[in-house]
Amino acid sequence: MRASGSGPGPDRTPPLALYVHLPWCLRKCPYCDFNSHEQRGELPERSYVAALLQDLEGQLPRVWGRRLESVFVGGGTPSLFAPESVDELLSGLRALLPWRPDLEVTLEANPGAVERGHFRGYREAGVNRLSLGIQSFDPALLERLGRIHDGADARTAIEQAQRAGFERMNLDLMFGLPGQSLRQGLDDLRTALDFAPGHISWYQLTLEPNTLFAARPPALPPEDSVAELFERGQALLRRSGYTRYEVSAYALAGSECRHNRNYWEFGDYLGIGAGAHGKLTDPTTGTVTRLLKPRQPDAYLRDPQAVSSQPVAPRSLPFEFMLNALRLTAGVPASLFAERTGLSPDRIGTLLAQARERGLLDPDPAVLRPTEHGLRFLNDLLEMFLEDDDPPD
């Protein structure tokens, strides 16, 4: 069932972002469930960049007339690629798709996998936002996580990035680590805050399927200890001027990640690279389609334009929309549901009423926003929007 006049159309197509996946890393971390592959020998940088551009060229017919709002280069460990390769990549992207004038270009980097001087090269290539995978500044905790850097490497990387001119920077930190005490967790946050980054991603370690930690689980801190660390850490971040604008993202005013906000607001994005995902809305029909590239780098390099696609069934759209939108602490306008899914608001009216009655959603009908209780029990809230069958039109 489509909402009359409210679905996506030529003038209401969602913003478009681009995700670029560089799948190699020096060593696979035991908690990582991303599509990453340990480097064996010399990286095929030139052939992989060429494949990425060929990949994008093949997807252009899906996005004619649209411009990019953001680019995110993730991995793996993108900082294994030389600045010259990143420059070639970004130059090629600019030639294929129009960019908004103040486009955000993020590159992920690991302190143990970036050579001195590379930060300045990335900045000169056009990267204007850096995301550093710190995880912890404590050497013992880093060793337990299988990281290849120590605390000194992390501090040096941040300082070098700041000297290279990166004013927009994210620091990735984890908590609830094997053997981590309350003091160690707060010390990690205090150390990060000393550098005054605009953005901090602070999230709890989880044991994901198909990882080494899932097969051989480490001893994690008790739940009550982790809960206390979370509460005290949030208070510390608030006192330091950071707003929790997403479940695990904290930012100073104006430093939110535009690329990730587009995901959470159910925007569109192209994905290029081995194992990259995409989500596109047809401007004529409003159909939302998921796209997936081959996972293995060798298979991807053989045929960069290979892609599998699957339209999202209308019965799945409410859950997929809420899975993203309800991660935002300020929520989204209620009207965005119809704009981004093409479904009538009546489709979820009863569910919204039930969620508000349970105290999981803000009672204001103009906004879809989780309450504090809803954020704490977010999985329970999201499960309410799972549908088994498509209701009749």
Side-chain angles (χ1 to χ4, degrees):
M1 181 185 297
R2 293 282 167 194
S4 176
S6 65
D11 59 342
R12 305 190 75 170
T13 307
L16 179 67
L18 174 67
Y19 176 75
V20 183
H21 193 69
L22 307 187
W24 291 279
C25 55
L26 290 177
R27 184 169 67 193
K28 182 84 170 179
C29 295
Y31 58 84
C32 178
D33 67 337
F34 295 159
N35 182 39
S36 59
H37 305 264
E38 292 191 7
Q39 179 182 348
R40 301 285 188 239
E42 186 176 353
L43 286 179
E45 293 191 36
R46 293 189 64 83
S47 57
Y48 193 75
V49 168
L52 289 169
L53 297 177
Q54 185 181 347
D55 183 352
L56 179 57
E57 194 167 7
Q59 298 195 54
L60 289 181
R62 301 177 185 266
V63 293
W64 287 128
R66 300 175 68 178
R67 71 173 186 177
L68 284 182
E69 302 292 319
S70 64
V71 174
F72 195 104
V73 184
T77 306
S79 54
L80 290 175
F81 276 52
E84 293 78 12
S85 297
V86 174
D87 182 44
E88 183 179 353
L89 169 65
L90 296 181
S91 297
L93 298 181
R94 289 189 197 95
L96 291 171
L97 269 177
W99 292 21
R100 61 177 285 173
D102 59 343
L103 181 128
E104 175 189 88
V105 182
T106 302
L107 181 130
E108 290 184 332
N110 285 345
V114 61
E115 294 183 17
R116 184 179 295 274
H118 276 195
F119 286 128
R120 190 169 301 280
Y122 296 139
R123 188 71 186 87
E124 292 171 352
V127 177
N128 53 30
R129 184 176 182 272
L130 198 67
S131 182
L132 282 172
I134 304 297
Q135 315 313 349
S136 175
F137 292 93
D138 187 291
L141 295 177
L142 287 167
E143 185 174 355
R144 290 172 201 160
L145 288 176
R147 303 294 288 177
I148 62 172
H149 69 274
D150 59 22
D153 293 331
R155 293 177 178 86
T156 298
I158 298 170
E159 292 167 352
Q160 289 180 349
Q162 290 177 331
R163 286 198 296 268
F166 280 102
E167 297 177 357
R168 292 178 57 81
M169 188 186 305
N170 169 63
L171 301 184
D172 258 1
L173 291 175
M174 300 171 72
F175 66 93
L177 308 180
Q180 185 181 47
S181 67
L182 174 64
R183 178 188 58 79
Q184 287 173 312
L186 292 176
D187 281 350
D188 273 346
L189 269 181
R190 292 189 186 102
T191 302
L193 291 169
D194 284 343
F195 291 100
H199 194 285
I200 293 177
S201 296
W202 190 54
Y203 48 94
Q204 184 177 350
L205 171 66
T206 55
L207 305 185
E208 301 293 342
N210 303 314
T211 63
L212 186 60
F213 270 2
R216 298 198 291 273
L220 299 179
E223 288 186 13
D224 56 348
S225 299
V226 175
E228 182 181 1
L229 172 56
F230 179 64
E231 293 299 325
R232 292 182 60 176
Q234 284 214 94
L236 175 60
L237 285 159
R238 284 194 299 270
R239 290 196 303 271
S240 302
Y242 290 78
T243 297
R244 184 191 187 197
Y245 73 100
E246 188 266 344
V247 169
S248 57
Y250 304 77
L252 298 175
S255 294
E256 296 86 355
C257 179
R258 298 178 199 163
H259 185 86
N260 286 345
R261 280 201 73 103
N262 187 57
Y263 291 152
W264 299 322
E265 293 171 354
F266 213 52
D268 280 356
Y269 54 95
L270 290 166
I272 60 174
H277 294 252
K279 176 245 172 192
L280 293 176
T281 305
D282 188 297
T284 303
T285 66
T287 301
V288 177
T289 300
R290 295 286 186 187
L291 303 104
L292 177 63
K293 306 298 296 186
R295 286 179 58 84
Q296 294 298 322
D298 288 346
Y300 177 78
L301 283 166
R302 285 195 297 272
D303 187 2
Q305 294 189 348
V307 62
S308 60
S309 62
Q310 180 66 49
V312 180
R315 65 183 174 84
S316 300
L317 280 171
F319 175 75
E320 293 222 10
F321 177 88
M322 294 298 181
L323 181 66
N324 290 280
L326 294 183
R327 291 184 65 89
L328 291 168
T329 59
V332 298
S335 59
L336 196 68
F337 175 78
E339 289 178 20
R340 297 288 159 89
T341 67
L343 300 175
S344 167
D346 295 340
R347 183 67 169 261
I348 57 171
T350 300
L351 298 175
L352 293 178
Q354 292 172 353
R356 287 171 176 139
E357 185 177 346
R358 291 173 57 183
L360 298 170
L361 274 184
D362 191 297
D364 184 353
V367 68
L368 300 175
R369 177 171 54 222
T371 60
E372 282 294 327
H373 184 65
L375 280 174
R376 184 171 298 178
F377 297 97
L378 187 57
N379 287 340
D380 293 341
L381 173 57
L382 293 173
E383 285 173 4
M384 296 181 67
F385 296 93
L386 283 170
E387 293 189 29
D388 294 328
D389 298 301
D390 213 357
D393 290 336

